[in-house]
Amino acid sequence: MPSPLPSTPLSACWQTARFRIDLSRPRVMGIVNVTPDSFSDGGAHADTTGALRHAEALLKEGADILDIGGESTRPGAPPVPLAEELARVVPVVREAVRWGVPISVDTYKPEVMAECLALGADIVNDVWALRRRGADGRSGEDVVAQDPACGVVLMHMHRQPQDMQVQPMEGDAVAQVREFLAARVQALLARGVARERIVLDYGIGFGKTVEQNLDLLARQRELLTLGYPLLAGWSRKSTLGRLTGVEVAAERLGASVAAALLAVQRGARIVRVHDVAATVQALQVWMALNDREDA
């Protein structure tokens, strides 16, 4: 029998700019794409009014956190100029922070992070794990380290959106992802960022094969040994399409809910989803059964 993996206690709360989010139960992060070219919703909420209407609907469906982004990071997506991303995201964040719920900004640009945090956003969710630098030389790591309390999601991505699926990872993805995330955590800790501010995302679909994505889910416990809460972002991903034969991303509801539930069963504390209502219902059933078994 292999020896058990070392275990580090997970934080019971996620410290963000305005909220301490209780992670004793799984939390649902609703996706608000303020983009005309999202892989999943085709720009259905690309203007400020549409994005805010969608965000309100997600909250009514049970979202705990809203994740607002102005640039698609789907495979092959072209970069969005800074001014355009700010024009998309800032008006939505400015209004959403008034609603009294945790607001995350999905961006890798330090300038967008800084602007949204100044408006009152609570979390930075970065597919580049704070490695990119802005025009002034400041990195995402600098922005987060200089903020007293914002939460952060560090995600693993192989290469970059323009070519990540052209040349996906090779070898054991779990070991490589774990090593990368551990290094990024240490970089933040060295800058004085409190550990309870950090959440990790293993980056499903970001430069990984179908088999590697499934390995990451099956062996999720190995990532939990880093001692940080995990966010799982399986919603509508192409791996689910490959497994089910469903080509249209928006039609992968059943597969997305199943993947979210499997991730939570394997220890994820936050799931980032498009289909909030269905995910919330599935988690309610799962939690009810867990409570009965624990009684």
Side-chain angles (χ1 to χ4, degrees), residues 9-232:
L10 295 177
S11 173
C13 290
W14 185 11
Q15 178 64 56
T16 72
R18 298 177 297 164
F19 302 91
R20 285 181 63 82
I21 301 173
D22 179 9
L23 297 180
S24 63
R25 69 171 179 87
R27 298 291 176 170
V28 175
M29 175 183 279
I31 299 170
V32 182
N33 288 320
V34 197
T35 59
D37 57 348
S38 167
F39 86 95
S40 60
D41 53 33
H45 322 294
D47 60 76
T48 300
T49 300
L52 289 170
R53 187 180 299 117
H54 180 59
E56 288 180 316
L58 295 182
L59 291 177
K60 290 178 181 177
E61 291 175 359
D64 300 294
I65 306 163
L66 295 175
D67 190 42
I68 300 168
E71 177 172 339
S72 174
T73 50
R74 75 186 192 285
V80 172
L82 172 61
E84 186 172 346
E85 185 176 345
L86 285 169
R88 293 175 181 179
V89 171
V90 165
V92 180
V93 171
R94 181 182 288 117
E95 176 59 27
V97 295
R98 301 174 183 172
W99 297 351
V101 298
I103 301 299
S104 169
V105 58
D106 179 5
T107 186
Y108 61 83
K109 295 185 177 72
E111 299 92 337
V112 178
M113 297 176 194
E115 182 71 20
C116 291
L117 290 173
L119 289 170
D122 302 286
I123 299 160
V124 169
N125 179 15
D126 183 6
V127 299
W128 280 90
L130 306 179
R131 293 174 293 154
R132 294 292 295 266
R133 292 188 178 275
D136 63 358
R138 184 169 56 161
S139 68
E141 183 179 308
D142 294 329
V143 173
V144 168
Q146 290 161 9
D147 189 275
C150 74
V152 59
V153 180
L154 300 174
M155 197 196 81
H156 175 274
M157 176 171 61
H158 175 68
R159 303 181 70 89
Q160 58 186 347
Q162 289 72 40
D163 61 8
M164 61 188 178
Q165 292 305 125
V166 177
Q167 294 180 294
M169 296 177 69
E170 297 180 355
D172 184 354
V174 180
Q176 294 177 65
V177 169
R178 190 183 188 282
E179 181 180 5
F180 170 85
L181 292 175
R184 294 308 300 145
V185 164
Q186 289 305 311
L188 278 192
L189 295 179
R191 298 288 301 271
V193 176
R195 72 184 306 273
E196 64 182 358
R197 294 169 57 185
I198 301 171
V199 165
L200 306 179
D201 178 354
Y202 45 90
I204 289 300
F206 283 80
K208 303 169 182 75
T209 65
V210 171
E211 291 75 17
Q212 288 169 335
N213 288 328
L214 291 174
D215 280 346
L216 284 160
L217 180 57
R219 296 165 58 193
Q220 200 172 265
R221 178 171 170 264
E222 295 177 40
L223 303 176
L224 288 171
T225 62
L226 291 170
Y228 293 86
L230 287 183
L231 180 153

Side-chain angles (χ1 to χ4, degrees), residues 202 217 220 234 255-268 283:
Y202 45 90
L217 180 57
Q220 200 172 265
W234 276 91
S256 296
V257 172
L261 190 58
L262 288 167
V264 168
Q265 287 178 327
R266 286 156 176 77
L283 289 175

